[in-house]
Amino acid sequence: MSKKKNQNTRPLPIPPAPICFRHEAVRHNPVAPDGSRFSLVCVGHIRAKHGSVLPEDMTQFVGIVWCLAGEIERRFDGHTARLRPGWVSIVLPGTLMHFSVVSKTAEMRFFAVDGQDAEKRVFESGLWEGEFPSGPPPEGWLDILYERLTDAGWDGDDVASSAAYDLLVRLGENVRRMTSDKQVYEARRIIHEQWKDKSLNVTKILKKLGVDRSTLSRRFLRVTGSSVLDYLLALRVQNAKRMLINTAKPIAEVGEAVGIDNPVYFSRLFAQRTGKSPRAFRLDPLGDDSKC
C-alpha cells in the first residue's frame, strides 16, 4: 500500500535555539512616548545555535537586523529569506514572522524603532522591507545606543532616538553604495514607496527613470528574478494579506487600499497568487499556500 503524500507544504517549525549570548536594552515604556515621531524601542546582540531565535509573532515595530556570522532565516507572511554576514534585514510593522538560525551557529545585532514617522523615515533613507547588502554592522554605534537606552527613563531618550535615525540614514547610504544595479534599485524604491497609488504602473516607473522598457525588464529580471509588473503585484497582494489579517475592512476596501480599485480583478489576482479567495484567506490565513 503506497503512503499518502503530505499535503501540507508549510515548512516544519525549527526547534528553539540554545541562546549562547543575549544582550538587550529595551525602552521602559511599551508604547512610543506621546508625540514621538521616531523613538528607539530596543537594541540587542544575540549569538545562538541552530534553531528558532525568536518565536513567530506579529511585529509592532520597524526592525533592523544585521547578520554578523553564520546564516539566519527569516520567515514572514509565507515567504522565506536568508540573511548572511554583511547583509541587513528591514522588517516593517504588521509582519507575521520569525527568525531562526539555519547554520550550526549564528550571530546577529539589531535595533527597533516606532513612532508616527518610523516607516516614513525608512523610505526616506532609501530602504524598504527586505534584505540588503550593507557591509559590517556599526557595532560601536550600536553599543552607544545600548548604553543610552539602558540609562533612559520612562519617556525614552531623545538623543538615543536621534542617533538611531542617523544610523538609519547612514545604512541607506551604505546599501545604495553597495547595490550593483542602481537602476533596478531605484525602480524597486519607487515601487515600495508608491505601491498604494492605483495609478502606479510599469509605464509610470519607466517615465520616472527615463529608461526604455526592454532595458529595465532585462536588468530587473536578472536582479530580482521577477518582472517589474509581477514585483508590483506581489507587493500589493502581500500587503493585502496583512490587511485581511489585521483589519476588518471589507474585501473591496482592502483591494482599493493596495492600489486595486476593481473588486473582481482584486479577488481574482489574490486567488491566483495565494490559492485562496480573500474571504477564505481571512478565515484561515495560516493555511495559505502562497505563490507570490
Side-chain angles (χ1 to χ4, degrees):
M1 184 180 295
S2 61
K3 295 181 180 179
K4 289 182 69 176
K5 291 184 179 179
N6 184 1
Q7 298 300 315
N8 183 4
T9 59
R10 296 182 67 217
L12 295 175
I14 298 177
I19 302 295
C20 306
F21 171 85
R22 183 165 188 149
H23 203 50
E24 187 173 5
V26 181
R27 188 182 66 203
H28 295 295
N29 194 339
V31 297
D34 290 342
S36 173
R37 309 201 75 83
F38 188 89
S39 178
L40 183 63
V41 175
C42 68
V43 186
H45 185 180
I46 295 176
R47 286 197 297 269
K49 296 182 179 179
H50 181 89
S52 178
V53 178
L54 299 172
E56 187 173 61
D57 196 10
M58 188 73 69
T59 57
Q60 302 177 46
F61 314 112
V62 171
I64 296 92
V65 181
W66 285 270
C67 179
L68 280 73
E71 191 170 345
I72 300 164
E73 182 178 87
R74 179 169 80 102
R75 291 217 305 259
F76 60 107
D77 295 343
H79 297 257
T80 300
R82 291 290 177 94
L83 196 59
R84 297 175 175 85
W87 283 68
V88 67
S89 181
I90 308 295
V91 180
L92 295 183
T95 308
L96 180 65
M97 55 149 285
H98 82 278
F99 283 90
S100 57
V101 174
V102 292
S103 52
K104 188 174 181 180
T105 60
E107 185 173 3
M108 57 195 286
R109 295 201 69 164
F110 59 90
F111 74 94
V113 296
D114 63 359
Q116 300 174 33
D117 291 343
E119 290 187 60
K120 180 182 177 182
R121 296 290 180 250
V122 170
F123 295 127
E124 288 177 348
S125 299
L127 300 168
W128 54 86
E129 185 166 49
E131 283 64 46
F132 303 89
S134 66
E139 299 201 56
W141 204 323
L142 290 168
D143 288 339
I144 293 173
L145 292 186
Y146 178 89
E147 293 172 4
R148 296 293 306 185
L149 197 57
T150 300
D151 297 335
W154 181 256
D155 289 333
D157 189 306
D158 290 341
V159 175
S161 297
S162 178
Y165 173 62
D166 290 342
L167 179 52
L168 182 65
V169 172
R170 288 174 179 261
L171 173 60
E173 293 171 351
N174 286 344
V175 166
R176 192 178 192 288
R177 186 168 59 250
M178 297 185 68
T179 299
S180 58
D181 194 318
K182 303 295 190 297
Q183 193 174 80
V184 173
Y185 167 87
E186 289 299 330
R188 295 175 71 192
R189 183 184 62 78
I190 291 169
I191 291 172
H192 281 271
E193 284 184 347
Q194 301 180 31
W195 58 266
K196 295 180 183 179
D197 183 354
K198 63 183 179 182
S199 71
L200 182 66
N201 54 31
V202 177
T203 300
K204 191 171 182 179
I205 294 169
L206 293 170
K207 186 175 181 180
K208 284 178 174 289
L209 296 175
V211 65
D212 65 87
R213 185 180 294 266
S214 61
T215 298
L216 180 62
S217 297
R218 182 178 66 254
R219 294 167 69 169
F220 199 94
L221 182 63
R222 184 180 68 242
V223 172
T224 68
S226 171
S227 71
V228 180
L229 179 59
D230 277 345
Y231 191 94
L232 171 60
L233 294 178
L235 186 60
R236 284 174 165 163
V237 170
Q238 184 71 16
N239 281 280
K241 289 164 69 177
R242 294 179 185 176
M243 289 186 192
L244 289 168
I245 293 173
N246 297 318
T247 75
K249 286 184 177 182
I251 303 300
E253 287 187 22
V254 171
E256 191 169 357
V258 299
I260 304 173
D261 57 2
N262 184 322
V264 175
Y265 172 64
F266 169 66
S267 294
R268 184 170 66 246
L269 174 69
F270 191 95
Q272 288 174 347
R273 289 179 171 264
T274 68
K276 287 187 175 185
S277 69
R279 190 177 306 278
F281 176 82
R282 172 171 269 166
L283 293 173
D284 183 24
L286 294 180
D288 167 56
D289 184 17
S290 177
K291 301 173 186 177
C292 59

